[in-house]
Amino acid sequence: MALSRLSSRSNIISRPLSAAFRRSISTDTTPITIETSLPFTAHLCDPPSRSVESSTQELLSFFRTMALMRRMEIAADSLYKAKLIRGFCHLYDGQEAVAIGMEAAITKKDAIITAYRDHCIFLGRGGSLYEVFAELMGRQDGCSRGKGGSMHFYKKDSSFYGGHGIVGAQVPLGCGIAFAQKYSKEEAVTFAMYGDGAANQGQLFEALNISALWDLPSILVCENNHYGMGTAEWRAAKSPSYYKRGDYVPGLKVDGMDAFAVKQACKFAKEHALKNGPIILEMDTYRYHGHSMSDPGSTYRTRDEISGVRQERDPIERIKKLVLSHDLATEKELKDMEKEIRKEVDDAIAKAKDCPMPEPSELFTNVYVKGFGTESFGADRKEVKAALP
Amino acid sequence: MASLLGRFCRKLVVPGSAHGSRMVSTTACDSEAVKSLNLYSAINQALHIALETDPRSYVFGEDVGFGGVFRCTTGLAERFGKNRVFNTPLCEQGIVGFGIGLAAMGNRAVVEIQFADYIYPAFDQIVNEAAKFRYRSGNQFNCGGINLVFNLPSKSLLLIRLLFIGLTIRAPYGAVGHGGHYHSQSPEAFFCHVPGIKVVIPRSPREAKGLLLSSIRDPNPVVFFEPKWLYRQAVEEVPEHDYMIPLSQAEVIREGNDITLVGWGAQLTVMEQACLDAEKEGISCELIDLKTLLPWDKETVEASVKKTGRLLISHEAPVTGGFGAEISATILERCFLKLEAPVSRVCGLDTPFPLILDAIKSTVNY
């Protein structure tokens, strides 16, 4: 694909900025080729090319969605400190490129299943901000009706299988979903995501073996943010080359802070999985926050390290530089976009705050399938008694 | 439950502390020095003593090196070295299996599972390996055996203690308000169904230290559940010396005549409050702390029920199939003619532990 710059540069100058800007987001699909920052490292396969096909529309939408995700996570941080969100809250800021890049390479028929750091993946799958904040605050209109909380976001119509609190449990599940996909000949794949801490769980290797044995279209994505809670990867794993840990299963190591590298890798992985069975993707990424809101994140790593990554590898900054260098928007336009995003997030929060909590009877719903007729007793057997609906 | 937590002030009056519990001291040293400690500090002290008195004891689990997520293992790595107190990767099944092997070779392995909710990958190891090792090998192997070495000069209690080796699995359990589905479970009932292991649950700091030392030194594999709600909340005078509280001995922590209440762990705090409330209405309650759930002290409970004629069991875990069912059935068999009313169980709801925000407060308002 020939490298073709945005030739309507003169158009942008002659027209009112806002009009041109709006047009370039919605209609301009001029192709652009972007080079990934680092080459891919491959295990038992040929790495894909570093040149990623994209378009101006995609580039701008990457920026917008990642900025939205970042803003959402920061807002969740403040809400947690204000005690509107309680329980657990695991933030994804820093890792947005993985969610975004993956979405760009796949369709809503491909399934994604992940662990508890799932707010941004949910958003990427088409979830709304309102659903996110309502669920975080435990309200009725949350995506899991207020019964799941931060760790359990799901979206069935976009094949997003959530949201799991128990580390590593989602990977065999993901391989099961892949099996179903293969069975129904949907030409779809499953991305089973997990972290560097979870990579040491035994069930992962069981799932890998089964997937390889039966050629399942499952893609295991290790989001390696280098810390399993507070434990650095070299303290937990003999081999921190997670992409190689599949042994007989091919793997690819990807710069997880580069959305285009992620997109290319996921596209490659999908093609591979549909033909040859499982593949492991290791996303080299980083989280700015601690493991969860109760972890300051600075007892096991230096502040210099965190700010260093923020300065040199921040995914949003990278996209911003690309947008500016391709003259797709000016600094001011991007700032305006960020302001718009801030407002969008604030509006969603305000709306979610007004949403009521679930009814007390929801305590007993969905334990079993409806109509099962089992009784559940409460503290006082004579009074609090519900026939599980 | 959540509303109940709010009712108590920061420092709880721990049930039974006024009456004083029976304590068995196995050391000659009779120091009267006590210190006001909370639950995690008491457990920390017990672990320090355990590691000090047996050079072949080890503490390991996820994140124990820096002190653990609940600070129970603070100072251990610094004092005893990284070869005896070390972190493991994130693999519960591996951790417990590893501990069983270590114990089978004559060491004291004190394994920490970070939350009881995560113990299930290790369930197979506990049930199929730890519980059955001694049985299936005809006492050749075990993970908690007594190696009697007859030709060694018997020097002191220290030597005898060295001969008791074993596996102890510690895990924080129970509701803590905001825990949700996977940081609040009470899985004791699953383990009470396994002959070959012991299940111990302390109710307070002083009990925890003594019971933990007994568990570590018990020649059988022990699963030790610590009520995480009480880690900071419960404060008590804990003796500083090395002492053990016997296992499988229940304690009557409050005497009464009208009804017997049986419970364990954090629930006793709630039950103590219930006893005080009932007293205002003229009902005299006898409160028993079971302490060890498997094997449990049937005689104490039986004697009490024969006196009062009524039994109420309370635990956080869901009521169906909870350990209260076992207590109820046994007491019924033993005290049928003395019972004035059916055995009552006031327990958790038969649902997964919910995401508690406000909904639960209005539904379950004791």
Side-chain angles (χ1 to χ4, degrees):
Chain A
M1 191 72 97
L3 189 79
S4 126
R5 303 202 100 222
L6 186 59
S7 54
S8 48
R9 190 174 171 171
S10 50
N11 290 354
I12 286 189
I13 292 172
S14 58
R15 282 187 200 138
L17 282 169
S18 48
F21 176 65
R22 252 179 271 124
R23 229 181 59 183
S24 51
I25 278 205
S26 52
T27 60
D28 206 327
T29 50
T30 314
I32 298 182
T33 309
I34 312 240
E35 287 279 299
T36 64
S37 56
L38 293 171
F40 298 100
T41 323
H43 169 73
L44 292 186
C45 63
D46 292 320
S49 131
R50 278 176 78 174
S51 304
V52 187
E53 290 156 23
S54 181
S55 69
T56 52
Q57 178 190 23
E58 187 173 70
L59 193 51
L60 282 165
S61 82
F62 270 19
F63 176 81
R64 189 171 205 286
T65 317
M66 285 210 281
L68 187 69
M69 289 177 177
R70 178 68 61 92
R71 188 69 223 136
M72 174 181 80
E73 295 294 71
I74 306 286
D77 179 311
S78 321
L79 284 176
Y80 192 90
K81 290 180 176 142
K83 300 214 180 198
L84 280 159
I85 298 177
R86 280 134 76 195
F88 298 94
C89 196
H90 305 85
L91 298 176
Y92 201 70
D93 54 321
Q95 298 182 213
E96 298 91 352
V98 178
I100 265 287
M102 193 180 286
E103 279 305 326
I106 62 179
T107 69
K108 292 291 191 281
K109 283 200 141 257
D110 297 309
I112 298 184
I113 189 170
T114 184
Y116 43 77
R117 214 175 288 279
D118 56 357
H119 309 162
C120 298
I121 312 259
F122 173 75
L123 208 67
R125 288 264 89 181
S128 71
L129 280 173
Y130 174 57
E131 281 177 313
V132 170
F133 287 114
E135 186 62 37
L136 286 175
M137 295 196 267
R139 309 295 167 110
Q140 262 178 18
D141 286 343
C143 52
S144 306
R145 311 238 301 269
K147 296 173 77 165
S150 159
M151 293 201 280
H152 304 104
F153 280 24
Y154 298 86
K155 195 157 168 60
K156 190 166 180 190
D157 52 14
S158 330
S159 314
F160 177 48
Y161 290 87
H164 295 81
I166 298 293
V167 166
Q170 71 276 11
V171 179
L173 258 81
C175 295
I177 297 170
F179 182 82
Q181 285 173 330
K182 178 168 181 172
Y183 209 93
S184 53
K185 297 189 170 52
E186 283 172 8
E187 293 294 301
V189 295
T190 304
F191 287 81
M193 303 171 75
Y194 58 97
D196 45 295
N200 301 315
Q201 275 277 320
Q203 38 191 334
L204 243 86
F205 297 95
E206 293 182 13
L208 256 180
N209 181 47
I210 290 185
S211 305
L213 196 60
W214 296 337
D215 289 319
L216 302 182
S218 63
I219 298 161
L220 272 70
V221 180
C222 178
E223 290 182 282
N224 182 8
N225 55 26
H226 307 286
Y227 295 96
M229 222 160 80
T231 306
E233 57 178 343
W234 54 271
R235 280 196 217 262
K238 176 72 181 173
S239 160
S241 309
Y242 299 101
Y243 70 105
K244 280 195 199 157
R245 298 240 283 209
D247 185 26
Y248 41 82
V249 171
L252 199 65
K253 182 164 171 167
V254 184
D255 177 4
M257 304 297 255
D258 178 356
F260 289 101
V262 174
K263 176 187 169 186
Q264 184 81 321
C266 291
K267 186 155 159 280
F268 172 77
K270 179 170 174 176
E271 281 159 19
H272 183 280
L274 284 171
K275 276 202 311 267
N276 307 327
I279 181 171
I280 300 183
L281 295 178
E282 180 188 336
M283 304 287 180
D284 185 351
T285 180
Y286 200 83
R287 55 166 161 80
Y288 298 139
H289 270 89
H291 163 76
S292 70
M293 287 306 300
S294 46
D295 172 22
S298 48
T299 50
Y300 47 86
R301 51 186 189 172
T302 59
R303 286 191 202 278
D304 287 337
E305 182 189 300
I306 305 174
S307 50
V309 175
R310 214 187 263 272
Q311 268 161 22
E312 283 163 45
R313 297 177 66 203
D314 184 76
I316 302 182
E317 280 306 307
R318 177 171 293 156
I319 297 289
K320 197 173 185 178
K321 282 193 191 106
L322 280 169
V323 167
L324 292 172
S325 72
H326 280 82
D327 285 322
L328 300 183
T330 63
E331 279 265 11
K332 183 174 182 307
E333 282 166 343
L334 294 180
K335 282 238 162 16
D336 287 340
M337 212 194 265
E338 282 175 348
K339 271 202 206 117
E340 223 181 276
I341 287 171
R342 200 178 271 254
K343 182 165 185 311
E344 212 179 304
V345 167
D346 289 339
D347 287 343
I349 293 177
K351 193 166 166 221
K353 276 186 191 164
D354 284 334
C355 181
M357 289 286 193
E359 293 294 313
S361 59
E362 285 281 333
L363 186 59
F364 300 101
T365 57
N366 310 126
V367 178
Y368 291 102
V369 79
K370 205 160 175 152
F372 202 51
T374 313
E375 286 186 325
S376 170
F377 293 99
D380 183 338
R381 292 175 74 90
K382 295 186 198 71
E383 286 183 25
V384 182
K385 183 165 124 176
L388 294 180
Chain B
M1 193 66 204
S3 62
L4 224 41
L5 298 184
R7 288 232 286 256
F8 296 112
C9 51
R10 282 266 152 236
K11 298 204 172 153
L12 293 172
V13 173
V14 173
S17 49
H19 305 262
S21 28
R22 282 175 311 169
M23 282 188 303
V24 176
S25 174
T26 54
T27 56
C29 156
D30 232 319
S31 155
E32 288 300 326
V34 293
K35 203 163 161 208
S36 199
L37 292 179
N38 58 21
L39 187 67
Y40 77 74
S41 306
I43 289 179
N44 186 239
Q45 244 186 38
L47 290 171
H48 272 273
I49 292 173
L51 287 171
E52 196 181 297
T53 50
D54 182 358
R56 282 172 326 164
S57 48
Y58 306 86
V59 171
F60 52 94
E62 291 158 21
D63 298 309
V64 301
F66 80 91
V69 287
F70 291 110
R71 318 262 234 105
C72 295
T73 48
T74 358
L76 292 174
E78 287 87 345
R79 190 170 162 201
F80 298 102
K82 297 236 166 103
N83 287 335
R84 291 179 67 193
V85 180
F86 51 91
N87 291 339
T88 58
L90 221 169
C91 46
E92 288 73 23
Q93 187 170 20
I95 294 170
V96 172
F98 183 77
I100 295 171
L102 204 56
M105 290 295 285
N107 302 292
R108 256 189 223 130
V110 183
V111 170
E112 175 175 305
I113 298 289
Q114 199 159 78
F115 282 88
D117 315 56
Y118 309 159
I119 204 169
Y120 306 111
F123 195 66
D124 174 63
Q125 285 287 343
I126 297 172
V127 170
N128 279 332
E129 304 303 323
K132 301 177 168 63
F133 212 158
R134 191 196 293 266
Y135 188 82
R136 69 184 186 215
S137 65
N139 207 20
Q140 275 188 78
F141 286 104
N142 56 75
C143 52
I146 307 174
N147 283 340
L148 290 175
V149 186
F150 289 103
N151 51 1
L152 273 184
S154 53
K155 269 191 198 147
S156 64
L157 286 162
L158 187 64
L159 181 65
I160 294 177
R161 219 179 280 136
L162 279 176
L163 299 175
F164 284 68
I165 50 177
L167 172 71
T168 308
I169 300 163
R170 296 177 36 242
Y173 89 101
V176 74
H178 57 270
H181 320 86
Y182 301 115
H183 296 77
S184 321
Q185 290 177 32
S186 303
E188 70 268 7
F190 298 118
F191 297 94
C192 290
H193 193 53
V194 185
I197 59 171
K198 292 194 176 183
V199 179
V200 179
I201 306 184
R203 71 166 186 271
S204 73
R206 182 162 46 186
E207 293 290 309
K209 181 174 168 184
L211 285 170
L212 183 57
L213 282 166
S214 293
S215 303
I216 293 175
R217 293 166 178 163
D218 189 279
N220 295 290
V222 178
V223 180
F224 189 82
F225 286 119
E226 301 161 2
K228 65 169 87 69
W229 175 41
L230 298 182
Y231 273 140
R232 279 173 218 273
Q233 296 271 42
V235 179
E236 203 180 15
E237 300 283 305
V238 179
E240 296 204 354
H241 63 264
D242 182 351
Y243 65 96
M244 305 203 310
I245 294 179
L247 299 184
S248 295
Q249 268 186 33
E251 184 190 345
V252 179
I253 57 181
R254 187 194 168 87
E255 304 224 1
N257 297 306
D258 295 329
I259 180 171
T260 304
L261 277 75
V262 173
W264 51 86
Q267 191 67 1
L268 283 168
T269 317
V270 175
M271 292 165 87
E272 176 94 334
Q273 188 63 40
C275 291
L276 292 171
D277 288 347
E279 207 172 1
K280 293 185 191 130
E281 295 186 25
I283 302 172
S284 155
C285 304
E286 181 145 302
L287 185 56
I288 298 180
D289 176 9
L290 214 52
K291 298 196 211 189
T292 303
L293 267 64
L294 184 75
W296 63 285
D297 184 356
K298 301 178 179 145
E299 283 68 33
T300 304
V301 180
E302 186 186 339
S304 172
V305 176
K306 282 189 168 150
K307 181 174 86 170
T308 62
R310 288 177 163 83
L311 177 62
L312 185 147
I313 308 158
S314 184
H315 56 70
E316 263 178 44
V319 64
T320 300
F323 194 60
E326 154 66 24
I327 300 175
S328 172
T330 306
I331 294 301
L332 200 67
E333 282 165 10
R334 293 181 174 214
C335 312
F336 181 67
L337 294 172
K338 296 272 186 172
L339 282 171
E340 303 280 336
V343 174
S344 170
R345 288 181 294 160
V346 179
C347 303
L349 304 170
D350 282 332
T351 68
F353 200 97
L355 189 68
I356 296 180
L357 293 178
D358 283 331
I360 187 99
K361 264 193 202 165
S362 48
T363 311
V364 193
N365 210 357
Y366 298 96

